[in-house]
Amino acid sequence: MNAVGPENRDLLSEITSQLGMLGSQFYRNDGMAEGYRFNEHAARGRSIRIKLRRGPVGNPGETFNITSGTATETSEDTALLSELRAAFYIPRDSYYGFLFVERIGGRHAKDLIYQKVVVPVAEATRHTIRLENFAEVEDWRRILSTQQVLRVAEFLRPDSSADASTAHDVFVKVSAEGAGVSSKSEELKEQFLDIVDRRHASYRVLADIAPLEARRKVMGVIKKRDGSEIEALKDAPKSAFSIADRAELEALTLRLDALNSGSDSTVLREELQQVLPVDRDEYQSQRLEVTFGTDRPEKTFIVAGDRVPQLVYEFGGRLIDTDLQNAWDASSGGFLERLGVTVSSAWPLEPTEQVQAGE
């Protein structure tokens, strides 16, 4: 991630530059009736800390002091912005980095950072940057250990090939709850955890595939049919991509296919079919929602395609900046190491080179 594209651009520097271009001015998003501003960002080692503020705009209201009990009226020209924090962690020599976002109630800044920072950087570097949820399997196991399955729901889309008159945006929701589902809690938990575990394993395989794929193609001059020449990617010579490299790539690709073929929600759907039989011949499954809990409030996790469900790490209250930074530093280092990425003991700070006396 520190050598993206033929120009070897550092993604950390690109993100920092994009945040600098956004500045701290106020932006208005009329489509969402909200405003926002990236009021502060600071690079630290291989990380970037971000503070932004977002909230509703264009509607009269008030700010209320909960200590004094006094209210101040606000007009249509006032934006009520709340602070949210986030941080990027982009290690060297890694195909993975992390974006941590603070979540307060239902509010967070992931969508805003993706749209205003990640997408422009991806376009500038002409690379795809994919954001996926991440959480340790053991953290999932700990969270779910005291929970039981309350509900399993599947969203189905009618197969247009079966009935051409069916609108493409029509969905059918099939839901099962009660004793029949709760009795299968442990089986459903293990299947749920297996989906997450397989996805994490595929991350490690993808990291092994990436350098081979990078060597498999090189930039060079290609002759077109009309006799003109263009510079484009072409097969690398055997000196750069050997027969052994090709064999290793094929083996890793087979391993990845095996992980992906077993990471779908087939077993979960089979369990749902047992408690609530439905004729699925004319429907295509879009996603599953598994709701866990002991009582209210319950937690619903979405399983869709190869996406890992989102897990929120709870702190029990709003941390001060230093404590939040320390928590994210430790979590990012642990996550990266378990993905096979080597980080220094001073992570996320850059390692200091020792200079011998006399040099």
Side-chain angles (χ1 to χ4, degrees):
M1 300 189 82
N2 60 300
V4 177
E7 299 176 356
N8 291 328
R9 295 161 77 170
D10 189 341
L11 200 60
L12 187 79
S13 299
E14 297 295 320
I15 291 171
T16 303
S17 297
Q18 177 62 22
L19 287 167
M21 290 177 60
L22 287 168
S24 60
Q25 62 261 42
F26 176 79
Y27 295 91
R28 184 165 179 157
N29 184 353
D30 289 324
M32 302 245 339
E34 71 166 10
Y36 61 89
R37 55 190 294 261
F38 289 81
N39 60 309
E40 183 181 327
H41 73 274
R44 172 176 163 269
R46 297 298 302 176
S47 68
I48 308 170
R49 175 178 53 84
I50 302 169
K51 284 186 177 181
L52 61 86
R53 293 172 180 173
R54 72 185 303 183
V57 63
N59 192 45
E62 66 180 25
T63 60
F64 188 82
N65 189 312
I66 60 175
T67 301
S68 65
T70 58
T72 302
E73 293 292 318
T74 61
S75 68
E76 296 178 358
D77 297 326
T78 303
L80 303 176
L81 307 182
S82 297
E83 184 170 273
L84 296 166
R85 296 169 291 181
F88 282 98
Y89 289 83
I90 312 292
R92 291 189 179 277
D93 304 320
S94 170
Y95 293 93
Y96 298 107
F98 282 92
L99 167 63
F100 288 83
V101 293
E102 180 180 35
R103 187 184 185 97
I104 301 177
R107 295 180 293 110
H108 59 85
K110 178 182 174 182
D111 60 324
L112 200 56
I113 293 173
Y114 178 73
Q115 295 165 8
K116 305 301 178 182
V117 180
V118 176
V119 170
V121 167
E123 292 174 346
T125 58
R126 291 182 293 177
H127 276 70
T128 298
I129 301 175
R130 181 170 177 174
L131 289 187
E132 291 192 1
N133 301 317
F134 185 90
E136 295 282 9
V137 175
E138 290 308 311
D139 291 332
W140 277 107
R141 195 178 300 278
R142 173 178 50 81
I143 292 293
L144 299 180
S145 62
T146 59
Q147 310 289 303
Q148 65 177 350
V149 177
L150 301 179
R151 185 184 311 108
V152 179
E154 182 178 14
F155 287 79
L156 304 165
R157 171 177 286 172
D159 189 347
S160 58
S161 63
D163 183 0
S165 65
T166 303
H168 291 289
D169 58 351
V170 171
F171 287 89
V172 177
K173 180 180 179 180
V174 181
S175 180
E177 57 184 289
V181 171
S182 298
S183 65
K184 296 180 177 293
S185 287
E186 294 307 313
E187 296 95 322
L188 289 169
K189 283 182 193 178
E190 290 305 315
Q191 293 153 16
F192 183 84
L193 292 170
D194 182 65
I195 291 172
V196 178
D197 197 27
R198 283 176 175 272
R199 188 57 184 158
H200 290 178
S202 73
Y203 293 154
R204 293 187 286 272
V205 176
L206 284 168
D208 292 334
I209 288 176
L212 292 169
E213 283 286 3
R215 295 204 306 273
R216 189 170 67 91
K217 298 285 185 179
V218 295
M219 292 297 294
V221 176
I222 296 177
K223 280 192 174 183
K224 299 175 67 176
R225 291 182 178 180
D226 60 4
S228 62
E229 296 182 344
I230 60 169
E231 189 174 7
L233 286 173
K234 65 179 185 178
D235 291 338
K238 291 183 178 179
S239 59
F241 191 73
S242 65
I243 295 176
D245 289 334
R246 188 175 300 279
E248 183 181 0
L249 178 59
E250 290 175 355
L252 288 169
T253 302
L254 288 173
R255 169 65 175 154
L256 184 63
D257 289 343
L259 288 168
N260 290 337
S261 65
S263 64
D264 62 16
S265 310
T266 302
V267 182
L268 282 175
R269 283 194 289 271
E270 289 175 354
E271 295 288 350
L272 180 60
Q273 181 72 5
Q274 291 180 26
V275 295
L276 188 60
V278 174
D279 184 1
R280 288 176 169 77
D281 290 342
E282 297 183 357
Y283 294 92
Q284 296 178 353
S285 179
Q286 299 300 302
R287 73 176 190 271
L288 286 172
E289 293 185 354
V290 184
T291 301
F292 296 93
T294 52
D295 200 353
R296 301 295 189 269
E298 57 195 31
K299 295 183 178 180
T300 299
F301 302 105
I302 298 175
V303 182
D306 62 354
R307 296 285 183 173
V308 175
Q310 178 172 290
L311 175 64
V312 177
Y313 286 81
E314 298 181 359
F315 292 120
R318 190 178 191 277
L319 302 183
I320 62 173
D321 289 352
T322 303
D323 289 346
L324 184 62
Q325 174 183 285
N326 291 339
W328 285 351
D329 285 356
S331 294
S332 64
F335 290 166
L336 288 166
E337 287 180 352
R338 283 182 279 282
L339 285 173
V341 180
T342 301
V343 296
S344 72
S345 59
W347 170 261
L349 302 179
E350 296 278 16
T352 303
E353 297 182 3
Q354 299 294 324
V355 179
Q356 296 181 356
E359 290 188 355

